[in-house]
Amino acid sequence: PLLTTPSQPRNKSMLRLPRWRVILVIVVSVLGLLFALPNVVPANVREHIPTWLPHRTLNLGLDLQGGSHLLLEVDTRALQRQQLDNIADQMANALRDATPAIRYTGRGVVGDAARVRLVDPADEARAMAALRPLARSTTNGNEIIVFSQAADGAIEGRMTETSLRELSRQAAQQSIEVIRRRVDPTGANEINPVRQGDNRIVVQAPGVSDPQILKDRIGTTALMTFHMVRELSPEDAAAGHLPAGAMLVQPYPETGAQPEVVERRPRFTGERLIRANPSTDQQTGEFVLSFALDSEGTRIFCRITRENTGRRFAILLDNQVLTAPRINEPICGGSGQISGNFTAQSANDLAVMLRAGALPAPLTVIEERTVTAELGQDAVNAGSQATLYGALGVVLFMVLAYGTFGALACLALVINIAQIIAVMSVTGATLSLPGIAGLVLTMGMAVDANVLIYERMREEQANGRGPALAIDAGFARALVTIIDSHVTQIGVALILFWFGHGPVRGFAWTLSIGVVTSVITATLVTQFFIAIWFRLARPKKLPI
């Protein structure tokens, strides 16, 4: 009698869950099933699903749906040549800025050294003093350039091995984001460029069956530069009679441009581009590339076009001419367009590359590999079997251990799996083979929470509490332990996601989603099912 009276309010509270909780469970469960549904119906059925219902499915990783694998290497020699060219400029500027200025000639790059030749050998001591600040990095103070005096009166600057290695590492790291933006501009697919060693990059593209597509996108440096044209007769240009500081450049493929003699040093570079989009010329209807510059780029471009009105300037992409129009008037609006016999596809591809930015150095393909769909299907089948066997094992254990309550926990587990698939479909996450492993692991961890709750119910019932009180105490007292264990798990998953790459991230992402949905289903959904069962069965003792 002492236990009967206080148990009545508890029975009433168990039968009448807060309305917000009931609505939340129903909404979350229905949405999870709806967003997961497109993944289990055939493609021909999915095409007839009404437009107002979800259509997105899981993105499968390279190991499940096949795709392309590339191993790229930064062209260290080209990178070194670029850097030495910059060092030669810095040496020339330092000599000009000396007081009084130090006269020099023969600025350039010879072999592995940037060099300048002094007009007066007596200036060697002053020149070495003027160049000394360039020898050390301004960020960490490490020596990056070694200056020496050559036998012919020239001063040479060579990069140290440490600085060259660090330069290669930085170039590889910068190339990763450029590659990702080029190959996957929308971010919808799992494109995982990963640095390997100091100067190599691994690129995996699920669903891209032809590696050539990747190589076409990645292989272009995509550095746009603007050079003033040096007017020269075709005969002199063909004979190689070029003025000092000029070079002969060839046209970009399929643009219809002509070879041009241009100034070697660009007046302007595409680093100031903030927008590049394909469009059509309103007058001619041909495809063009529209671009816009940032504020500083607008100012510089306006000054260049104002000073060179009436002259021609060439727009080069990777030292190949796109077009060479005449400057009829100053261009100060910060935008313009580039024509060049583009097709819709070529204009779009060029725009993608320019928006992604220029690679810091050329990349060489060391290895290419195609993962066929057949191999991917084998992985899908193996993963599906593992998931099925894992699910059957969990169901068998829970039903044998907890009877009806175990069956209710398994029903909540189905909703849990549906929620994981739904979240991954909505967010565009990619499911890989390690992700399937994370899914199987989640199933086992999901029922762990139910085990904690049910064991607490058994203890409360053994201590003489009624069914309603035992159920109430089981959920209330196990909640702290459940949250504590799941916070630990999600912390580990976040560490894996932050520091991992590729498959490790796929595993961590699936695990993270599963931890969150497991807490929801174990506490809210399972409690909802038990409350319905309790109201229908009105048990005198819990069958647990």
Side-chain angles (χ1 to χ4, degrees), residues 435-493:
I436 294 179
L439 193 62
V440 176
L441 180 61
T442 299
M443 290 191 300
M445 294 192 305
V447 295
D448 278 351
N450 294 112
V451 170
L452 290 172
I453 294 171
Y454 294 165
E455 290 300 325
R456 174 62 71 174
M457 289 181 186
R458 280 179 172 174
E459 292 177 2
E460 296 297 330
Q461 186 169 249
N463 291 333
R465 290 180 180 269
L469 285 173
I471 293 174
D472 195 18
F475 280 98
R477 297 185 179 182
L479 182 61
V480 175
T481 305
I482 292 171
I483 293 177
D484 180 65
S485 63
H486 283 70
V487 166
T488 305
Q489 293 168 8
I490 201 169
V492 173

Side-chain angles (χ1 to χ4, degrees), residues 56-322:
R56 296 190 65 174
T57 59
L58 285 169
N59 292 323
L60 298 181
L62 183 68
D63 50 0
L64 297 184
Q65 68 167 323
S68 298
H69 169 102
L70 292 180
L71 177 61
L72 308 171
E73 186 177 58
V74 175
D75 189 340
T76 307
R77 294 184 65 85
L79 184 65
Q80 182 183 23
R81 175 79 187 193
Q82 293 174 8
Q83 190 65 17
L84 288 174
D85 202 45
N86 292 333
I87 292 173
D89 283 344
Q90 295 173 13
M91 293 170 65
N93 292 335
L95 295 179
R96 283 197 302 267
D97 293 341
T99 305
I102 302 173
R103 294 184 301 162
Y104 65 90
T105 184
R107 170 219 163 274
V109 177
V110 178
D112 64 345
R115 61 157 48 193
V116 292
R117 181 178 290 106
L118 301 180
V119 174
D120 186 358
D123 289 331
E124 281 187 359
R126 284 205 309 126
M128 294 296 288
L131 298 176
R132 191 172 296 117
L134 304 178
R136 295 191 176 276
S137 170
T138 56
T139 56
N140 54 29
N142 293 333
E143 188 177 44
I144 57 176
I145 306 172
V146 177
F147 292 106
S148 61
Q149 299 175 1
D152 58 354
I155 297 179
E156 297 180 338
R158 288 179 173 83
M159 300 181 62
T160 64
E161 289 295 330
T162 302
S163 64
L164 183 59
R165 191 180 306 113
E166 180 63 24
L167 188 65
S168 298
R169 188 182 296 113
Q170 292 176 0
Q173 194 63 40
Q174 293 170 11
S175 298
I176 287 176
E177 190 58 36
V178 175
I179 292 171
R180 183 181 288 111
R181 289 196 298 261
R182 287 188 185 183
V183 180
D184 185 22
T186 63
N189 300 315
E190 187 187 63
I191 305 298
N192 284 312
V194 179
R195 197 184 75 196
Q196 187 180 85
D198 288 337
N199 62 341
R200 290 189 174 184
I201 302 170
V202 176
V203 182
Q204 293 184 341
V208 180
S209 58
D210 185 4
Q212 188 61 42
I213 298 175
L214 288 179
K215 291 192 290 185
D216 290 343
R217 284 280 181 90
I218 297 173
T220 304
T221 308
L223 176 61
M224 181 176 287
T225 53
F226 297 76
H227 303 248
M228 298 310 302
V229 174
R230 300 291 293 270
E231 302 294 350
L232 198 67
S233 66
E235 294 79 10
D236 289 340
H241 299 154
L242 303 180
M247 63 179 179
L248 177 65
V249 290
Q250 299 300 319
Y252 198 78
E254 300 179 2
T255 59
Q258 300 297 320
E260 298 286 353
V261 177
V262 301
E263 294 179 351
R264 185 176 297 275
R265 307 297 296 175
R267 297 290 187 95
F268 190 78
T269 64
E271 295 173 354
R272 295 294 182 181
L273 286 175
I274 58 173
R275 178 178 58 81
N277 295 311
S279 60
T280 54
D281 189 283
Q282 296 181 354
Q283 297 181 352
T284 63
E286 66 177 356
F287 289 101
V288 296
L289 183 69
S290 300
F291 67 90
L293 306 172
D294 60 16
S295 57
E296 181 65 16
T298 300
R299 184 188 65 79
I300 297 173
F301 200 65
C302 179
R303 176 179 57 79
I304 293 172
T305 53
R306 179 183 294 114
E307 294 174 353
N308 295 277
T309 300
R311 296 180 60 188
R312 289 197 306 137
F313 75 108
I315 302 174
L316 275 59
L317 182 68
D318 294 340
N319 283 333
Q320 292 177 304
V321 182
L322 288 173

Side-chain angles (χ1 to χ4, degrees), residues 476-538:
R477 297 185 179 182
L479 182 61
V480 175
T481 305
I482 292 171
I483 293 177
D484 180 65
S485 63
H486 283 70
V487 166
T488 305
Q489 293 168 8
I490 201 169
V492 173
L494 291 176
I495 292 173
L496 288 175
F497 185 84
W498 183 262
F499 292 102
H501 295 283
V504 175
R505 279 196 166 189
F507 173 82
W509 179 239
T510 306
L511 186 62
S512 300
I513 297 173
V515 169
V516 175
T517 56
S518 294
V519 174
I520 295 174
T521 54
T523 56
L524 298 181
V525 177
T526 305
Q527 189 178 27
F528 174 73
F529 289 155
I530 290 178
I532 295 176
W533 169 84
F534 188 89
R535 187 170 185 177
L536 295 175
R538 299 284 183 175

